[in-house]
Amino acid sequence: EFWDTEFSSESILKSTMNDFICGQYNRPFLESFEETPMLVAVLTYMGYGILTIFGYLRDFLRHWKIERCHIAREKEEQRDFVPLYQDFENFYTRNLYMRIRDNWNRPICSVPGAKVDLMERTSRDYNWTFEYTGRVVLDVINLGSYNYLGFAENTGPCADSAAEITMKYGVGVASTRQEIGNLDRHEELEKLVAKFLGVESAMVFGMGFATNSMNIPALTGKGCLILSDELNHASLVLGARLSGSTIRVFKHNNMQSLEKLLRDAIVHGQPRTHRPWKKILIVVEGIYSMEGSIVRLPEVIDLKKRYRAYLYLDEAHSIGALGSRGRGVVDYFGLDPCDVDVLMGTFTKSFGAAGGYIAGKWELIEYLRSHSHSAVYATSMSPPVVEQIITSMKCIMGEDGTTIGCDRVRKLAENTVYFRRRLREMGFIIYGNEDSPVVPMMLYMPAKIGAFGREMLKRNIGVVVVGFPATPIIESRARFCISAAHTKEMLDRALSVISEVGDLLQLKYSRRRIQPSLSLPCDDIVFEDIDD
């Protein structure tokens, strides 16, 4: 069977122009991860240290009932039971996260397009609970949603098609695909996905997270080896753990680290017995959603061919958002999709819908139809969601008779390059690839996480801020997601506010400033070293 083949035995600016010259890449591949300034790192550690000290002091006061504690815990009469809640594990939540909790879970009451409407809320108990004021904050520029191509909208052909199909099929299917929940629209969608990606077959699932977590266990098991990038998404990590396979982690986008693990796996085989691994599966993402980096796919494919391993590519953020035709990271590098054994992606971002897909060879998909828990037990995808995906995908492919899809793909690329360049010119430290619509801007210090989110919202800009433990402790950041729906005026307004707040909070940490020049093409960048 397809999945039962056994075989035998960081710098400040990272630029892979040598690979480009050698012909392995068909375009310049530029990624920047500027080193954290020493003073900023020291102050960040001090900030977390002070918060920790005060956290222990407040826990002491709570223990003696001097301060009220709102955290979930057992009743007094259950103190002899096996504990459900570990107080120490919740230390970060109680004493750090709660201080800035108002920056997350903000309820919106509109379409998550280029602008959103937010429901205003206040807290009388330091963010433990919230109350709605009844006021709506209108027209907040949305820099947080994964609406890369702007298809999350309530007007236009996608919305009209979804409404029409709802009247015909209803909203729910109330059955699994293997029983009586397999609609003709599901079949059409799967054929369209396979055509869109240029592979033999595809299968769709109702939940993006479960597409990874429930299908990886169907592909690998005991006696198999999974080589996972250290920054892979939680769904990939969960799927790998549920599979029962041996997991080894390689450094992010580091081909030397990956090759060493592959070589060791071939030479030494399984632990103790030294038998050959049944399968070796390399698991990577197209765009890493917290770093903004793009996988070095040409090199990964070269290694997987050399060592006869399988490749699982998660294109959740890259499908639709990369490539001249919006076909993802494979299209971006001009590679053959048949070189990737398992193509995975989600419809939750570029397509403005829900769910995910697995695509590849016909044998692979037929195997998953009968072995995947997500396929056998999960309820079928909702008909209006299916129609949203079909309509938006045909739009990207140009099968709707218009150039709207191509125009949006091009607009996203232009917005991404423009937004990243302007942030660098202002002096912010920006992570990731030059072509990635995910733009992390470094904040570092814990106090600045909440302050940045609040100050931006005061100026009608909605952003996502991220801190420890989702990132390394000294690498807190704001994460902007660029959309084709953003106009240049919106981006200029957002950039002006970011610069203003950056000056207010002293966030312009970069020691390398790009010199703005209207005469330079997009890939020509001039740097000026800044003395400390």
Side-chain angles (χ1 to χ4, degrees):
E1 289 186 2
F2 182 81
W3 282 100
D4 286 330
T5 303
E6 186 171 305
F7 54 87
S8 58
S9 30
E10 224 146 38
S11 62
I12 291 176
L13 180 69
K14 185 168 58 179
S15 172
T16 56
M17 293 298 293
N18 291 334
D19 293 325
F20 169 65
I21 294 171
C22 294
Q24 194 166 20
Y25 289 82
N26 63 355
R27 59 186 298 150
F29 186 76
L30 298 170
E31 290 196 341
S32 175
F33 298 93
E34 187 172 334
E35 187 177 11
T36 305
M38 180 61 69
L39 178 60
V40 174
V42 171
L43 292 175
T44 302
Y45 279 120
M46 288 177 61
Y48 276 106
I50 293 169
L51 285 171
T52 302
I53 292 171
F54 276 91
Y56 278 113
L57 176 60
R58 297 187 71 181
D59 277 357
F60 175 80
L61 297 176
R62 291 176 186 133
H63 177 74
W64 292 102
K65 306 294 190 297
I66 300 173
E67 180 181 335
R68 184 180 177 186
C69 183
H70 301 267
I71 203 73
R73 53 185 175 181
E74 291 85 358
K75 296 179 180 178
E76 188 66 24
E77 56 266 27
Q78 294 176 317
R79 63 183 183 275
D80 295 328
F81 288 23
V82 176
L84 288 175
Y85 310 104
Q86 296 292 334
D87 283 343
F88 183 77
E89 291 178 4
N90 294 326
F91 179 86
Y92 184 87
T93 301
R94 289 194 305 272
N95 299 298
L96 283 79
Y97 168 71
M98 281 298 170
R99 293 173 175 265
I100 54 176
R101 184 175 169 228
D102 56 300
N103 285 278
W104 293 281
N105 309 312
R106 288 171 175 156
I108 69 171
C109 51
S110 68
V111 174
K115 292 185 177 182
V116 294
D117 298 335
L118 289 178
M119 297 175 65
E120 188 180 69
R121 59 183 183 174
T122 60
S123 177
R124 301 177 186 274
D125 52 8
Y126 304 102
N127 294 337
W128 286 95
T129 61
F130 292 99
E131 298 175 357
Y132 295 108
T133 65
R135 177 175 173 266
V136 175
V137 184
L138 301 174
D139 295 330
V140 176
I141 295 177
N142 181 9
L143 292 178
S145 297
Y146 307 129
N147 186 25
Y148 296 130
L149 294 181
F151 284 115
E153 51 194 356
N154 57 1
T155 59
C158 292
D160 294 342
S161 298
E164 182 180 343
I165 214 74
T166 301
M167 298 303 295
K168 180 179 180 181
Y169 289 89
V171 174
V173 181
S175 181
T176 67
R177 293 284 298 277
Q178 289 198 350
E179 294 170 343
I180 56 172
N182 188 30
L183 303 179
D184 56 344
R185 306 304 290 170
H186 292 135
E187 299 278 353
E188 180 181 344
L189 174 59
E190 290 178 342
K191 291 177 182 177
L192 185 65
V193 170
K195 180 181 178 182
F196 180 72
L197 298 173
V199 294
E200 295 177 8
S201 187
M203 186 174 184
V204 297
F205 305 89
M207 180 181 178
F209 191 98
T211 305
N212 279 330
S213 61
M214 292 290 100
N215 282 298
I216 292 177
L219 299 176
T220 64
K222 188 176 181 181
C224 299
L225 175 65
I226 293 178
L227 302 180
S228 176
D229 190 290
E230 66 179 347
L231 296 182
N232 275 343
H233 190 262
S235 60
L236 295 169
V237 174
L238 178 60
R241 289 175 177 172
L242 291 175
S243 71
S245 305
T246 299
I247 305 169
R248 291 175 184 164
V249 178
F250 61 92
K251 295 179 181 178
H252 175 55
N253 243 355
N254 188 312
M255 296 303 106
Q256 291 75 25
S257 176
L258 175 58
E259 184 169 16
K260 183 180 185 302
L261 291 179
L262 283 166
R263 189 185 302 116
D264 291 346
I266 297 297
V267 171
H268 300 295
Q270 299 184 42
R272 293 190 298 275
T273 65
H274 299 292
R275 292 177 182 173
W277 295 100
K278 294 179 181 178
K279 289 188 283 282
I280 298 178
L281 181 65
I282 302 170
V283 180
V284 294
E285 294 186 48
I287 292 178
Y288 291 85
S289 60
M290 205 59 73
E291 302 297 312
S293 54
I294 297 176
V295 64
R296 300 161 70 99
L297 191 59
E299 297 174 71
V300 176
I301 290 177
D302 180 62
L303 288 175
K304 86 104 180 175
K305 288 180 176 179
R306 192 185 313 165
Y307 292 96
R308 298 182 60 197
Y310 293 111
L311 176 58
Y312 186 108
L313 175 62
D314 179 347
E315 292 223 65
H317 286 268
S318 54
I319 192 67
L322 285 181
S324 59
R325 301 176 302 147
R327 265 58 164 190
V329 71
V330 177
D331 180 30
Y332 176 78
F333 287 114
L335 301 172
D336 185 354
C338 295
D339 287 335
V340 180
D341 300 290
V342 186
L343 284 162
M344 179 270 172
T346 64
F347 303 118
T348 54
K349 293 145 182 99
S350 293
F351 302 95
Y357 66 82
I358 295 284
K361 293 186 179 297
W362 181 85
E363 296 89 345
L364 165 69
I365 303 306
E366 291 305 304
Y367 173 85
L368 287 177
R369 290 191 193 280
S370 57
H371 289 78
S372 167
H373 285 76
S374 189
V376 176
Y377 299 110
T379 303
S380 301
M381 187 182 289
S382 174
V385 172
V386 172
E387 196 63 24
Q388 165 77 17
I389 301 166
I390 290 175
T391 308
S392 58
M393 190 171 290
K394 285 184 176 180
C395 185
I396 297 172
M397 298 170 72
E399 292 190 2
D400 62 340
T402 71
T403 62
I404 293 175
C406 294
D407 292 342
R408 292 192 183 195
V409 171
R410 184 174 62 254
K411 179 65 174 176
L412 174 63
E414 292 172 356
N415 284 351
T416 296
V417 171
Y418 176 72
F419 192 79
R420 281 181 166 273
R421 178 178 292 279
R422 286 290 308 278
L423 286 178
R424 290 191 191 282
E425 290 172 357
M426 292 174 185
F428 295 105
I429 293 182
I430 305 301
Y431 274 9
N433 193 283
E434 295 296 309
D435 295 319
S436 170
V438 179
V439 186
M441 189 186 86
M442 306 312 293
L443 303 176
Y444 297 114
M445 299 178 196
K448 295 184 180 182
I449 302 172
F452 183 79
R454 292 169 187 145
E455 291 297 327
M456 292 294 289
L457 186 57
K458 285 180 184 177
R459 294 160 175 80
N460 256 39
I461 310 291
V463 300
V464 172
V465 289
V466 190
F468 179 81
T471 66
I473 194 167
I474 64 167
E475 293 185 8
S476 301
R477 64 198 67 180
R479 183 183 64 180
F480 308 116
C481 291
I482 307 304
S483 171
H486 289 137
T487 64
K488 188 173 184 298
E489 290 72 24
M490 290 181 191
L491 294 181
D492 285 339
R493 165 64 181 158
L495 287 163
S496 174
V497 169
I498 292 170
S499 180
E500 178 186 342
V501 176
D503 290 331
L504 177 66
L505 301 179
Q506 298 182 5
L507 297 174
K508 298 179 178 180
Y509 301 113
S510 181
R511 292 169 292 181
R512 294 191 167 208
R513 304 282 175 85
I514 297 179
Q515 295 302 298
S517 175
L518 298 176
S519 63
L520 290 175
C522 289
D523 288 325
D524 293 332
I525 301 175
V526 177
F527 291 94
E528 176 190 17
D529 287 326
I530 307 279
D531 293 331
D532 290 328

